[in-house]
């Protein structure tokens, strides 16, 4: 299951079950998320930036499909 972390900024963290693979698959679809190469978030979380409604729908659909 996809678990978002509550946020009050224009991005949020998600903790997918397959972080590196999901990030790579999203990149192939021209959806860019931030991975964390170091520290406590490394390999476990992705940072997703909030965009306009259409981009958010596209991103959410891709994440749910690939997850």
């Amino acid at each position: 299951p996809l678990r978002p972390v509550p946020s009050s900024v224009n991005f949020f963290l998600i903790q997918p079950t397959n972080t590196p693979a999901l990030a790579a698959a999203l990149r192939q679809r021209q959806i860019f998320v931030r991975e964390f190469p170091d520290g406590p978030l490394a390999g476990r979380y992705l940072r997703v930036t909030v965009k306009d409604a259409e981009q958010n729908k596209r991103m959410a659909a891709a994440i749910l499909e690939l997850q």
Side-chain angles (χ1 to χ4, degrees):
L2 186 65
R3 297 186 308 189
V5 177
S7 178
S8 60
V9 294
N10 71 334
F11 63 87
F12 55 95
L13 300 177
I14 59 172
Q15 187 178 17
T17 56
N18 57 347
T19 301
L22 179 60
L26 290 170
R27 276 194 299 275
Q28 289 179 339
R29 295 178 182 213
Q30 300 296 303
I31 298 171
F32 300 101
V33 295
R34 177 162 184 230
E35 293 182 80
F36 297 93
D38 302 313
L41 302 180
R44 297 178 34 217
Y45 289 89
L46 294 175
R47 185 178 111 172
V48 178
T49 301
V50 176
K51 305 282 186 179
D52 66 42
E54 188 58 38
Q55 289 173 324
N56 287 340
K57 286 179 189 176
R58 181 174 163 253
M59 176 196 56
I63 289 172
L64 291 173
E65 176 187 335
L66 296 165
Q67 182 57 39

